[in-house]
């Protein structure tokens, strides 16, 4: 009976109820938040994940600008049907340098988390110019204008510096040679060795078939060709991915 009277006192006193709610929320908040101050990162680092090359980063900006994320997610869920179609489920570490990340929740088109290297550069260019030329049932709009627009990247060094300010580990050298790396990665005779030394597994070469210029098409294809290729999943069997 005494306990019921105490409970009744709490229920009938708005101020006391408010104080007890604040105490409860504070304790719960401390229990959840305090451990985070003792760890360096909430994302477990995975071997192979690196910052985007300047060209890939510009391609990613175009991807976002054109709203590609509205129809394509970049998140393979941990389900058997997804693993069998796309491969290993997406890891948080794969998006640790994405600002913002492109996981998404809606798919009008296929997931692109593992599209890198699945098709040739020529296929990607043809698909972007006229989607139905390679996928007859596609409802994707054409992006032929990308091959006509030169890539404007005069501020790429500042862009990398801004990315570094939010935690992307670009070095001083990467920032300094960012403009040169764009040209080198998208050229047939560029210094591919230097680009690959800074950015392993990057796709290099003339992506859009116009060796005398670097276009928005070059940048977007370079971005698509690195998706899912940084981490080596070849040793993982599909049947082991999900239960």
């Amino acid at each position: 009976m005494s306990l019921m009277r105490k409970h009744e006192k709490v229920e009938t006193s708005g101020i006391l109820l408010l104080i007890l709610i604040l105490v409860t929320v504070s304790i719960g908040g401390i229990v959840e938040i305090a451990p985070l101050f003792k760890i360096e990162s909430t994302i477990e680092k995975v071997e192979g994940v690196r910052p985007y090359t300047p060209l890939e980063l510009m391609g990613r900006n175009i991807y976002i600008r054109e709203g590609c994320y509205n129809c394509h997610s970049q998140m393979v869920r941990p389900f058997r049907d997804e693993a069998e179609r796309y491969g290993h489920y997406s890891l948080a570490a794969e998006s640790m340098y994405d600002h913002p990340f492109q996981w998404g929740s809606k798919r009008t088109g296929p997931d692109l988390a593992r599209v890198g290297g699945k098709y040739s550069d020529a296929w990607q260019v043809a698909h972007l110019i006229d989607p139905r030329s390679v996928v007859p049932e596609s409802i994707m709009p054409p992006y032929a204008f990308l091959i006509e627009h030169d890539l404007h990247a005069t501020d790429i060094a500042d862009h990398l510096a801004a990315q570094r300010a939010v935690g992307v580990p670009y070095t001083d050298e990467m920032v300094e040679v960012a403009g040169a790396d764009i040209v080198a990665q998208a050229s047939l005779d560029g210094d591919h060795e230097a680009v690959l030394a800074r950015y392993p597994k990057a796709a290099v070469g003339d992506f859009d078939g116009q060796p005398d210029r670097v276009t928005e098409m070059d940048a977007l294809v370079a971005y698509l060709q690195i998706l899912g290729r940084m981490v080596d999943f070849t040793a993982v069997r599909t049947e082991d991915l999900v239960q």
Side-chain angles (χ1 to χ4, degrees):
M1 201 67 181
S2 175
L3 183 60
M4 292 187 64
R5 288 199 185 97
K6 291 180 179 179
H7 196 273
E8 182 180 356
K9 184 177 180 180
V10 172
E11 289 182 334
T12 56
S13 174
I15 295 178
L16 180 57
L17 182 62
L18 178 61
I19 291 174
L20 292 176
I21 290 174
L22 290 175
V23 170
T24 303
V25 171
S26 298
I27 294 174
I30 291 173
V31 169
E32 291 187 354
I33 297 173
L36 299 178
F37 289 99
K38 295 185 178 181
I39 60 178
E40 294 183 2
S41 174
T42 56
I43 301 177
E44 183 179 356
K45 292 184 178 180
V46 176
E47 183 179 354
V49 176
R50 60 157 175 78
Y52 292 113
T53 70
L55 186 65
E56 293 165 359
L57 186 61
M58 292 301 295
R60 185 176 184 276
N61 291 344
I62 294 168
Y63 180 96
I64 295 173
R65 183 193 73 192
E66 298 302 328
C68 302
Y69 58 87
N70 288 317
C71 293
H72 298 282
S73 61
Q74 289 178 28
M75 178 185 179
V76 182
R77 281 71 167 177
F79 303 117
R80 183 170 298 280
D81 63 322
E82 300 230 348
E84 289 178 349
R85 180 178 182 184
Y86 298 115
H88 197 289
Y89 58 82
S90 294
L91 305 177
E94 292 181 274
S95 300
M96 66 187 300
Y97 300 136
D98 284 3
H99 300 283
F101 60 79
Q102 298 297 302
W103 281 31
S105 60
K106 179 183 181 295
R107 291 184 188 139
T108 300
D111 187 273
L112 299 182
R114 304 274 175 259
V115 75
K118 185 175 182 180
Y119 305 102
S120 67
D121 296 337
W123 188 97
Q124 291 287 2
V125 171
H127 182 245
L128 288 165
I129 292 175
D130 180 11
R132 277 155 294 285
S133 68
V134 290
V135 184
E137 67 275 16
S138 175
I139 61 171
M140 177 176 148
Y143 292 91
F145 60 89
L146 295 176
I147 203 169
E148 301 171 359
H149 292 179
D150 289 332
L151 183 67
H152 296 292
T154 55
D155 61 345
I156 188 60
D158 292 335
H159 194 0
L160 263 63
Q163 291 278 311
R164 183 166 61 180
V166 294
V168 183
Y170 285 114
T171 64
D172 289 339
E173 180 190 14
M174 288 175 172
V175 173
E176 183 179 349
V177 300
D181 277 348
I182 286 180
V183 176
Q185 184 178 356
S187 301
L188 287 173
D189 56 354
D191 191 353
H192 297 163
E193 186 175 342
V195 173
L196 291 171
R198 284 185 281 273
Y199 306 98
K201 297 185 178 180
V204 295
D206 174 29
F207 299 97
D208 69 353
Q210 299 183 96
D212 58 332
R213 55 196 293 228
V214 180
T215 66
E216 293 186 341
M217 183 71 76
D218 285 310
L220 182 53
V221 173
Y223 171 64
L224 293 173
Q225 292 291 37
I226 195 58
L227 294 180
R229 293 182 58 241
M230 292 186 189
V231 180
D232 183 9
F233 291 111
T234 55
V236 181
R237 297 186 306 167
T238 302
E239 54 267 31
D240 294 336
L241 302 183
V242 290
Q243 299 300 322

